[in-house]
Amino acid sequence: MDVGNENSDFLKLINVKGNIENITPHKIAVVAFIREYGLLKIEANKMIDCTVAPKYRKDFCMLALKLIQCPDMEFKELEALLTDGRYNLLSVHLQNFCVRLQNIYVNGVSALTDCVTSTIDKLMIESNPCIMARYSVLGLYLRRILLHLDRLTFVQVVSLYKSFCLYYQRGRPGQMIRSLSKEKLNNLDSQNNTSPIIPDESKPLELSMKMNIVDRDNFDEGQWSRKQAELFTAQQANLLQINEKKAMPPRQLQKTIIQIINDIPAYPDIHFLSFLNCIRTKEFSGAQDSLYNYFDRTIFNSSASNSCDRTKNFRYAALNRAAMHTHFGHKSVAMEAVREALARAQEAVDYSCLMGAAAWGALAGGRARRAALLNRSPRVPAPPAAIAAAPAPTAHNTHTSPSTTPSCPRHTAAAAQLLAQHIAVNGAKPSYIFQVIMRGDSINYLHSMTDLTMAGLANTAALWALYGKTEMASVACQLLLDLNTKCTVGSASVWHWTEASATGAAGAVACAAWRGAGPLAAALASHLRCPRTRAVATRYHASLALFAGKWEEAEQSIRQLASSDRWESQLLKAEMYYLKGDATEALESLCDVLDFCKTEDDSLHFVSLRVKALILMSQVQNSFSNIQSTNIMILNEALWLAKLYHLHYLAATAEMHLANVQLNMGCAKNALTLARKALPVIMADGSAYDMARAMLLYTKCRIATAPPCGEARLQVLQSCCEALEFVKKNFSKVGAHVRLLQTWYLQAQLHHDMGNHAARNQSAWMYRQLELQNSVEPSNMLIVMY
């Protein structure tokens, strides 16, 4: 049975008010503003060699366009806009405009209607040549206002006049009014003796109160028209997608949305904007209601009488429902919506909807589901940063037609990003992964798709960081932050700031902190303010506190980090217990992390998390247990996993820990060989702390394998003393005072063995000063700690 016939009564419930232009006091003021400028141009044309300067003409056109498109504003706001210097306006134009508004306020309804009707007559009909073309932007606006004003009844016109009086009174006294001369105010239209003069400003209000004909529902000071609502919805939806910070605050935006819904109940797109705003604030109930309201009104409105349009709306309703539930983590419900969208898309041969549903199904269905979908359809598109799987509501009917070419560039480029993410966490070769990303990037650059270009750079940076190539990750983050993403929304310029931008900002802060550049990391975090950079800064502060042995400060930072990254904070907690000497608590925390990694099916970082947990567990076992075979087994497992998933830096770290275990077991030559193999990777991409302790371990291995005596031994010890200068410098960067004490002590011993007593005494004195300045007790486990 036809849905349209079943719901024919529903169409009658739609308020036709949204299809009628609302005549408001703001619109009357805009008409008066246009009228006075047109009259000035007529006078200028009558005079010889007299024209309006180009800067005034240009600014008037820009301001008039803004006033037509923007929502209604209070008269105080209009005064501020005209007088704050942003637009070059003629002073005589402003004076005549104020006089016209005063004339309407004093002379009543006739002056209001005359302002509109005489504007059309003088600017489009009587003037020769016409000052304003009938089909120009201003001409269409004036004719539309006149048309709808003619349709008003006398009662409605009086109500409009009353609203105008309220609107005008709330703006006085203003800067523009005070700039008028008293003579100008005293001589306004005195020839019109038939209109009643009301000198007191309160009399129009009192008169309108006595007249029992005021309709507040029809004429309100801030009523929205359909065109204004469409522009507002398009701009806010665009800002929510490209730069959420520049959009209106959630509470204020929702208040405006409610106003538009009250003024234009038949406008469906405002409900989709409400849906996006609720997604932004993570409000599930409001998001669901707004989404249902949007598609209810879209499906059953008059334009949806075509069955093709109805089925299209049905399948995109299911698609957006799947996106919403995936966003909130309701994966089983999301999969039901995905199956519905897939079935309807296959029935209608809608490639766009089919690919979007497959993408959300890949995200909601876990790793196995994602692998099956990608193997079956390797060009499945990833969903956009904004939650809307369908295009923006203002372009809802502009989807790719089934008859058009199915190889949409956006689908192909987005699919490359999703495919790269999936195969990276499943151990594919890095060369193949970056080849996939380069294919997507070439399409992004060719078609100037800014959002996907930013996502590609963010994915590239994340992959380099995953493989431990921090320098390359830093370069990708800098390219992302330096990318020119400036675009125009309305009359303002806006930079794209999406999840990809936040990833790039967090990566830049992490790279600075990784290298021990604390002031630079703090400056970047304060400049690039976003939750991710704050999380990176919190982790950096926790690490510094751990290095310095400040347990209370470290524990506080770890608690703060737990709200954004639970398992990273769990690792730091285990490291804190380990450094404090509490092996039991450290092992319990590490077991929680490892249990999560074994049971988690769809975590993008569980492999690296598992390797880090295994390495830290080996450290705990090495420091508090005499059984070294267990440590070697744990480290071999970590090394195998790191090599299997191409985590080069973590593999080098595991090899360093193996070298440390071998050194403690007395296998100094094997330890030296392994440390020498892993050292270039650590020195190229390691943190300041990792580089220092890697060089320290390498120095210990060289000392253990040095010749027992002679000139060769002295050369080795001298080289080791020089290497320890680098170690001290990097330990000082991160405030690792305990490790710094160990380095001074080792350097003093080396100088003593070489017979350099002055250098030995200097190192011993520095050791004592550092010990006095920082009340930390060196732990015994430093002997076996890497």
Side-chain angles (χ1 to χ4, degrees), residues 645-697:
Y645 287 91
H646 308 284
L647 309 180
H648 305 295
Y649 185 77
L650 289 178
T653 305
E655 289 175 342
M656 276 294 183
H657 281 276
L658 278 171
N660 186 53
V661 173
Q662 290 177 344
L663 179 64
N664 296 328
M665 292 174 61
C667 305
K669 290 186 178 180
N670 292 337
L672 178 62
T673 302
L674 199 55
R676 186 174 289 160
K677 173 186 174 184
L679 188 63
V681 178
I682 302 293
M683 298 302 291
D685 298 299
S687 65
Y689 181 76
D690 286 349
M691 287 192 294
R693 64 176 182 169
M695 184 60 71
L696 180 61
L697 176 62

Side-chain angles (χ1 to χ4, degrees), residues 65-99:
L65 184 61
K66 177 181 176 65
L67 293 175
I68 290 173
Q69 293 180 335
C70 74
D72 290 1
M73 59 180 67
E74 295 288 342
F75 188 51
K76 289 182 180 179
E77 299 177 14
L78 181 60
E79 285 182 331
L81 181 64
L82 297 180
T83 57
D84 61 3
R86 279 182 285 176
Y87 297 94
N88 294 309
L89 301 175
L90 292 167
S91 58
V92 64
H93 180 202
L94 295 180
Q95 289 179 348
N96 293 342
F97 170 64
C98 292
V99 169

Side-chain angles (χ1 to χ4, degrees), residues 290-432:
S290 298
L291 183 65
Y292 290 170
N293 283 327
Y294 167 68
F295 281 103
D296 285 346
R297 284 159 176 77
T298 304
I299 290 171
F300 294 110
N301 64 8
S302 58
S303 64
S305 58
N306 192 327
S307 60
C308 294
D309 293 336
R310 285 200 303 272
T311 57
K312 182 177 185 179
N313 286 315
F314 280 138
R315 59 180 177 268
Y316 278 102
L319 180 59
N320 280 272
R321 180 167 164 262
M324 177 184 66
H325 286 293
T326 304
H327 179 78
F328 285 102
H330 309 153
K331 295 189 176 181
S332 59
V333 185
M335 285 306 300
E336 294 178 4
V338 165
R339 284 190 285 270
E340 180 183 355
L342 285 172
R344 290 184 177 274
Q346 289 174 348
E347 182 180 355
V349 198
D350 189 340
Y351 182 80
S352 298
C353 184
L354 186 66
M355 295 297 98
W360 288 111
L363 293 179
R367 175 175 302 202
R369 176 69 176 169
R370 185 183 302 122
L373 284 169
L374 288 173
N375 289 333
R376 190 176 306 171
S377 180
R379 292 193 299 175
V380 175
I387 197 65
T394 53
H396 178 65
N397 295 321
T398 59
H399 300 299
T400 303
S401 169
S403 61
T404 58
T405 174
S407 58
C408 176
R410 188 173 187 84
H411 293 161
T412 306
Q417 303 298 330
L418 183 60
L419 180 61
Q421 292 177 11
H422 176 74
I423 61 179
V425 298
N426 284 278
K429 290 184 178 181
S431 58
Y432 174 66

Side-chain angles (χ1 to χ4, degrees), residues 431-692:
S431 58
Y432 174 66
I433 295 171
F434 284 109
Q435 184 180 3
V436 171
I437 289 184
M438 287 180 62
R439 291 176 186 171
D441 287 344
S442 62
I443 299 174
N444 296 335
Y445 300 145
L446 182 62
H447 296 276
S448 300
M449 294 183 286
T450 305
D451 54 342
L452 291 182
T453 300
M454 297 171 68
L457 287 172
N459 279 333
T460 302
L463 286 172
W464 282 123
L466 177 68
Y467 297 134
K469 307 299 182 182
T470 54
E471 286 299 323
M472 294 301 299
S474 177
V475 170
C477 291
Q478 293 176 48
L479 286 174
L480 174 57
L481 295 177
D482 194 51
L483 192 65
N484 185 6
T485 61
K486 198 172 184 179
C487 63
T488 302
V489 178
S491 59
S493 296
V494 179
W495 293 84
H496 280 68
W497 186 265
T498 60
E499 287 294 321
S501 305
T503 302
V509 175
C511 289
W514 182 256
R515 290 300 189 183
L520 176 59
L524 286 173
S526 62
H527 180 67
L528 304 170
R529 294 180 180 178
C530 65
R532 292 195 180 187
T533 56
R534 286 194 291 269
V536 171
T538 302
R539 192 200 183 288
Y540 176 59
H541 292 153
S543 299
L544 291 181
L546 289 177
F547 296 151
K550 301 177 181 178
W551 312 123
E552 293 182 0
E553 185 179 339
E555 189 173 3
Q556 182 180 0
S557 298
I558 289 171
R559 283 202 202 99
Q560 293 177 1
L561 183 63
S563 61
S564 58
D565 195 336
R566 174 186 175 186
W567 300 110
E568 190 68 28
S569 68
Q570 194 80 349
L571 271 182
L572 287 173
K573 185 189 295 185
E575 186 176 357
M576 180 184 67
Y577 287 133
Y578 162 60
L579 294 175
K580 289 172 66 176
D582 191 345
T584 304
E585 292 292 338
L587 289 175
E588 287 182 2
S589 299
L590 290 173
C591 287
D592 291 341
V593 175
L594 291 174
D595 290 341
F596 163 75
C597 294
K598 291 178 182 178
T599 57
E600 178 64 23
D601 176 60
D602 195 35
S603 174
L604 295 179
H605 63 281
F606 83 96
V607 176
S608 60
L609 189 69
R610 183 181 176 187
V611 173
K612 291 176 184 177
L614 288 173
I615 292 174
L616 188 54
M617 180 173 283
S618 74
Q619 279 190 284
V620 178
Q621 295 284 355
N622 189 32
S623 300
F624 298 100
S625 175
N626 294 325
I627 304 175
Q628 300 297 334
S629 59
T630 305
N631 305 335
I632 294 177
M633 290 177 61
I634 295 175
L635 287 172
N636 281 332
E637 182 183 358
L639 182 60
W640 171 75
L641 277 174
K643 289 185 176 180
L644 179 65
Y645 287 91
H646 308 284
L647 309 180
H648 305 295
Y649 185 77
L650 289 178
T653 305
E655 289 175 342
M656 276 294 183
H657 281 276
L658 278 171
N660 186 53
V661 173
Q662 290 177 344
L663 179 64
N664 296 328
M665 292 174 61
C667 305
K669 290 186 178 180
N670 292 337
L672 178 62
T673 302
L674 199 55
R676 186 174 289 160
K677 173 186 174 184
L679 188 63
V681 178
I682 302 293
M683 298 302 291
D685 298 299
S687 65
Y689 181 76
D690 286 349
M691 287 192 294

